[in-house]
Structures are given as C-alpha cells and as structure tokens.
C-alpha cells in the first residue's frame, strides 16, 4: 500500500467506527423525545420507562462517540494538512458553531438524566427537544464540511493562494441543504430501527400477551412509524441528491449508476457490478429512461457518462455496488414499516409473525450497513478530489510515511471499544430489567398522574 492509500484507510477506519455512534446519537434522542411526548399525552408509564432506558443507552454510546470523534478531528489535522489549511481559512464556521451545539446537547441531556423527576413536564419536553436539536445540529454542521468538499464555494485559488474568502458563502454551499436533509433523515432511520431490533428480539424471547411483551410491542410500533416515515423521507431526498449530483458532480452519478456513455433516456441500473473492461453493469437490471428522469425530471435529460472524463478522474467503480446496497436496504425498511403498520393498525392483528420479527431483528444492523455504504459512496465517489476539482486527495495528504502500524493499532483499539460498549450495555440492562423499571415507575408515577397502561 502506498502512503496515500494508508492515510485514507486509517482515516476511513476511524470515521467508519465513529459514525456508528454519531448516527445513533442523532437518531436516539428523537426516539426518547417521542416516547416522552407520548407519556405526557397518554400517561402510559411504558413510554416514560422507554424514554429513561433509551437515555441510559444514549449516555453509554456517547461515552464512545466523543473520544472517537476527537480522534477523527486530530487525524484530520495530522493526515490532511493541505485540506485543513483551506478549511481553517475558508470553512471554520461549522466547527466553531458545532461546539455550541454539542454544549447544548450535553447540558440539557444532563438536566433530563438527573432532574427529570424534579422538573415540570413541559421542562422535560423542552430539555429533550434541545438535546435532539443539539445532536442534529452537530451532525449537520460537521457534515456540511463534506458538502463543501463536493460543491466548494466562498473562495478561489489564484496563483496557488486562497483569495476572495467568504465564510458564509462557503457555509451555505450549493449542496448544504440536500446533504443536511439526507444526514438527518438517515440518522433517524438508523436510530429507530436499532431500537426496533432490540424490541423485536425481546418480543421473540417474551411470552405472548405478558406485560413485558406488550411493553416491547409498543416500542416496536413506535419504531415502525418513526422509522418508516423517515425511511420514506430519505428516499424522497435521494431523488433530490440525484439531481444535485447531475448538476454538480456528474462523475459520481455516472459511477454510482455504472453509466459510461453520455445519453438521454439513460437507464437506471439496479444490482450487478460494474465491469471496467466491458464498460457495462453485469448481472444488473436496467430500467430504461429512469436515470434521466431522476436526474432532471424528464426522460429527455442528458446524463453524462464516465467516458466524457479522463479515466484517471473516474471515481472507483465499486461505488455502484455500495450505492445499490444502500438503496436496497432503504427500500426493505420502507416495506417492513408499511407491513408492520398495516398488520397492526389496519388488519387489527396483535401478534406479528415470527419471520417478520426476525426480519426486524436484522433491520437495525442492516440500517447501519446502509448508512456505512452511503458514506463510503459519498466520499469515495468524490475521488480523486478532496475538494472537488480544486484540490486532489494526494495534494492534501501528509508527507509522513510508516503509517501502517497506526492502522493496526487503531483497529485493535476500536475492536476493544466496540466489544466494551456491547458488554456494558448487556451488563447494565441485565442488572436493570424492564420489569424492575416498570415496577419502580408505577410506584413513582401512578400515585401522581395515574396510568393508562
């Protein structure tokens, strides 16, 4: 491996691990807030127990998300000094504002964790709302740097110097809004279905009709509704993303769809893999004209192919496979949500089929895989540029060598951290069972507010 590939691998390993915790850390506060809102409306203590248990999970995951995020920030400076020179002068606003977003998130989460039972209901809602806003803002602000990499704005290079700097123009770069929406909706999908995986597994392990079974069933229905809404929203946003790529990063769109020849009525390739030699998508299914329609709302839209660009500027062709995995899983999650809601709310059937529950157990990990595939597609699809058509990844990289040992060291550390966080979660919830939390909640809340559970 050359030094550039090693640097990319090292940073990619860090981000691939960190982003799991960061994404769940955005999605889970919305689930907590939704459960708390339902409790305030219905006085069903099941929902307040859900909120509190999910809060404990959030706190544990935050304990890993914060240090891995710090490692990612340090590696940005050490591995990509050329890139950070531009960011420091042109795009400092997201990093500066993110500090305040994280402060709000941490402050009001502390209030909810330690003072929820001593403050008014409306203050509990306000606290959780600010936690959710702070978590989302942190993700959107950091992701805005990625948006800037794809659609740089607010500066220009002149004789190798950075001139005409406008930080706000850089901040509100052309892909800011579409990227922010995609990050938000996909994080909420991951957060919801991770919760749903646990609820489905617990339902399989519980006796049908018991109090514990019904508790997890309520959590599962909340997952299906919230996750389904945002999975559908992510699909809609995907259409916007295709149009933005068509306009600003046509090479990435062509690579994601395995399109080599510029054409109108361009087909959408589903599945298969891209063969560089034959310049076709093998084993895929082509839907005539659909790519042109997605790119420009018309079947006559001309979509540029990879052959319009020098081969050394092509993104890696494996992004087609990763893109299809992301879209395929996203579509599956929409189908799962619709089936679950129809089964329970329309057909009025109380007991889900075991096969459906096992599918839901897999849905959480699948949602994480889809998210990872999406990020790899987004970042690798921009290659060989770190700032699109302005700075190559090689120009931005460190000149340091002998980085291979760091990949092994950090990978080993992440394996330990991943194992530790799973072990802590299992230990905590084994010691703090749902039935015990429900009993304590009944003793505390029913005398005050009553219960509809």
């Amino acid at each position: 491996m050359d030094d550039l590939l090693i640097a990319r691998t090292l940073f990619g390993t860090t981000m691939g691990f960190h982003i799991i915790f960061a994404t769940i850390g955005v999605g889970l506060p919305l689930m907590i807030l939704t459960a708390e809102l339902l409790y305030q409306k219905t006085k069903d203590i099941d929902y307040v127990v859900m909120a509190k248990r999910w809060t404990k999970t959030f706190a544990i995951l935050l304990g890993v998300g914060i240090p891995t995020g710090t490692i990612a920030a340090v590696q940005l400076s050490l591995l990509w000094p050329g890139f950070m020179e531009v960011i420091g002068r042109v795009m400092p606003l997201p990093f500066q504002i993110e500090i305040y977003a994280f402060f709000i998130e941490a402050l009001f989460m502390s209030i909810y964790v330690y003072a929820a039972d001593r403050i008014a209901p409306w203050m509990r809602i306000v606290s959780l709302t600010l936690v959710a806003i702070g978590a989302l803002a942190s993700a959107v602000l950091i992701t805005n740097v990625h948006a800037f990499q794809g659609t740089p704005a607010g500066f220009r290079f002149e004789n190798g110097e950075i001139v005409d700097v406008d930080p706000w123009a850089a901040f509100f770069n052309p892909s800011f809004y579409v990227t922010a929406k995609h990050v938000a909706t996909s994080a909420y999908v991951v957060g919801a279905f991770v919760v749903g995986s646990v609820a489905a597994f617990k339902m399989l392990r519980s006796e049908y009709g018991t109090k514990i079974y019904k508790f997890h069933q309520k959590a599962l229905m909340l997952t299906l509704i919230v996750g389904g809404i945002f999975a559908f929203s992510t699909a809609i946003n995907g259409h916007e993303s295709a149009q933005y790529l068509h306009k600003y990063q046509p090479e990435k769109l062509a690579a994601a769809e395995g399109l080599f020849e510029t054409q109108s009525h361009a087909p959408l390739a589903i599945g298969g893999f891209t063969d560089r030699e034959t310049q076709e998508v093998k084993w895929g299914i082509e839907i005539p004209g659909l790519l042109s329609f997605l790119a420009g709302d018309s079947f006559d839209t001309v979509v540029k192919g990879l052959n319009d660009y020098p081969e050394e500027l092509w993104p890696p062709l494996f992004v087609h496979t990763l893109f299809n995995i992301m879209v395929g899983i996203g579509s599956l999650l929409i189908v799962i949500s619709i089936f679950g809601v129809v089964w329970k709310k329309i057909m009025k059937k109380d007991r889900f089929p075991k096969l459906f529950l096992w599918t839901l157990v897999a849905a959480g990990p699948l949602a994480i895989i889809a998210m990872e595939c999406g990020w790899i597609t987004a970042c690798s699809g921009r290659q060989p540029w770190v700032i699109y058509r302005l700075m190559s990844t090689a120009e931005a990289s460190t000149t340091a060598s002998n980085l291979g040992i760091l990949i092994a060291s950090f990978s080993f550390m992440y394996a330990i951290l991943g194992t530790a966080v799973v072990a802590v979660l299992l230990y905590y919830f084994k010691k703090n069972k749902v039935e015990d939390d429900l009993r304590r909640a009944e003793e505390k809340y029913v005398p005050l507010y009553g219960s509809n559970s």
Side-chain angles (χ1 to χ4, degrees):
M1 295 173 65
D2 60 35
D3 291 334
L4 176 60
L5 184 57
I6 291 174
R8 288 182 60 198
T9 302
L10 175 57
F11 187 67
T13 301
T14 295
M15 285 305 301
F17 185 75
H18 167 70
I19 205 167
I20 296 173
F21 299 92
T23 302
I24 298 175
V26 175
L28 203 50
L30 180 68
M31 297 297 294
I32 298 168
L33 174 60
T34 305
E36 182 70 38
L37 285 168
L38 285 170
Y39 168 68
Q40 298 298 344
K41 179 182 178 181
T42 65
K43 300 306 178 189
D44 184 340
I45 60 171
D46 283 358
Y47 290 114
V48 77
V49 172
M50 286 178 207
K52 289 183 175 295
R53 289 175 70 83
W54 295 343
T55 300
K56 302 299 184 185
T57 302
F58 178 74
I60 293 169
L61 296 179
L62 204 63
V64 178
I66 292 173
T68 54
T70 303
I71 293 170
V74 172
Q75 287 185 358
L76 267 176
S77 298
L78 296 179
L79 298 176
W80 311 107
F83 171 66
M84 290 306 292
E85 180 182 0
V86 176
I87 293 300
R89 295 185 59 184
V90 181
M91 196 64 172
L93 289 173
F95 292 103
Q96 294 169 350
I97 301 172
E98 195 271 340
I99 295 172
Y100 297 99
F102 178 73
F103 174 77
I104 290 171
E105 177 188 1
L107 173 63
F108 285 95
M109 177 52 71
S110 298
I111 291 174
Y112 182 76
V113 169
Y114 294 109
D117 296 331
R118 297 191 291 273
I119 58 179
W122 68 268
M123 294 178 68
R124 293 165 64 151
I125 299 301
V126 169
S127 295
L128 284 174
T129 300
L130 290 171
V131 171
I133 291 172
L136 176 60
S138 292
V140 167
L141 288 163
I142 295 303
T143 306
N144 190 23
V145 178
H146 166 75
F148 169 81
Q149 290 178 260
T151 53
F155 81 109
R156 61 188 180 88
F157 280 121
E158 186 174 289
N159 298 322
E161 297 293 325
I162 300 171
V163 298
D164 296 337
V165 174
D166 183 347
W168 286 111
F171 186 95
F172 293 106
N173 60 81
S175 62
F176 168 69
Y177 294 105
V178 71
T179 303
K181 285 189 286 185
H182 198 69
V183 165
T185 54
S186 58
Y188 293 146
V189 171
V190 171
F193 279 100
V194 165
V195 169
S197 285
V198 176
F201 182 74
K202 292 294 186 180
M203 287 173 67
L204 286 164
R205 297 285 296 271
S206 302
E207 186 178 345
Y208 172 72
T210 61
K211 192 173 186 178
I212 303 303
Y213 183 94
K214 291 178 180 178
F215 172 87
H216 291 299
Q217 189 177 54
K218 290 175 185 177
L220 184 63
M221 289 308 301
L222 187 57
T223 288
L224 292 173
I225 293 170
V226 174
I229 289 171
F230 285 106
F232 185 75
S233 299
T234 303
I236 298 299
N237 179 252
H239 176 53
E240 298 177 65
S241 299
Q243 294 184 325
Y244 128 74
L245 288 176
H246 171 66
K247 183 176 182 179
Y248 293 105
Q249 290 182 273
E251 305 100 300
K252 182 188 285 188
L253 180 62
E257 295 298 339
L259 186 72
F260 288 87
E261 299 298 332
T262 298
Q263 56 190 287
S264 63
H265 298 82
L268 182 73
I270 299 175
F273 66 95
T274 308
D275 190 315
R276 183 183 292 267
E277 292 185 3
T278 61
Q279 296 196 352
E280 64 178 348
V281 176
K282 289 189 173 181
W283 312 106
I285 300 172
E286 290 191 349
I287 303 178
L290 187 55
L291 178 58
S292 288
F293 183 81
L294 291 174
D297 293 328
S298 170
F299 293 108
D300 293 326
T301 301
V302 176
V303 182
K304 289 187 176 181
L306 288 170
N307 286 333
D308 276 20
Y309 306 95
E311 191 167 345
E312 61 268 19
L313 298 183
W314 288 6
L317 300 184
F318 63 73
V319 297
H320 169 74
T321 302
L322 296 178
F323 178 75
N324 274 266
I325 291 173
M326 177 188 68
V327 173
I329 293 175
S331 302
L332 174 63
L333 297 180
I334 293 173
V335 172
I336 288 172
S337 300
I338 293 173
F339 177 87
V341 173
V342 169
W343 183 272
K344 177 72 174 173
K345 299 296 184 181
I346 297 178
M347 298 177 67
K348 303 296 183 182
K349 294 187 177 181
D350 189 58
R351 191 170 190 173
F352 288 116
K354 280 192 174 183
L355 179 60
F356 177 71
L357 290 176
W358 279 115
T359 304
L360 273 165
V361 171
L366 286 174
I368 293 173
I369 290 171
M371 176 268 297
E372 293 277 13
C373 288
W375 272 109
I376 296 172
T377 297
C379 295
S380 296
R382 191 185 56 249
Q383 295 304 313
W385 306 102
V386 70
I387 301 177
Y388 184 59
R389 294 184 180 177
L390 290 178
M391 177 181 285
S392 70
T393 307
E395 291 172 327
S397 180
T398 180
T399 56
S401 58
N402 300 319
L403 299 174
I405 187 64
L406 292 178
I407 296 177
S409 300
F410 277 100
S411 296
F412 180 69
M413 181 182 68
Y414 297 146
I416 292 175
L417 279 174
T419 303
V421 75
V422 171
V424 169
L425 285 169
L426 290 174
Y427 176 80
Y428 178 83
F429 288 112
K430 185 178 180 180
K431 297 285 287 185
N432 297 269
K433 298 180 179 179
V434 173
E435 49 265 44
D436 295 333
D437 286 344
L438 285 171
R439 188 188 67 254
R440 285 190 288 266
E442 286 174 350
E443 294 171 354
K444 180 181 296 185
Y445 292 103
V446 172
L448 295 174
Y449 309 113
S451 173
N452 294 326
S453 60

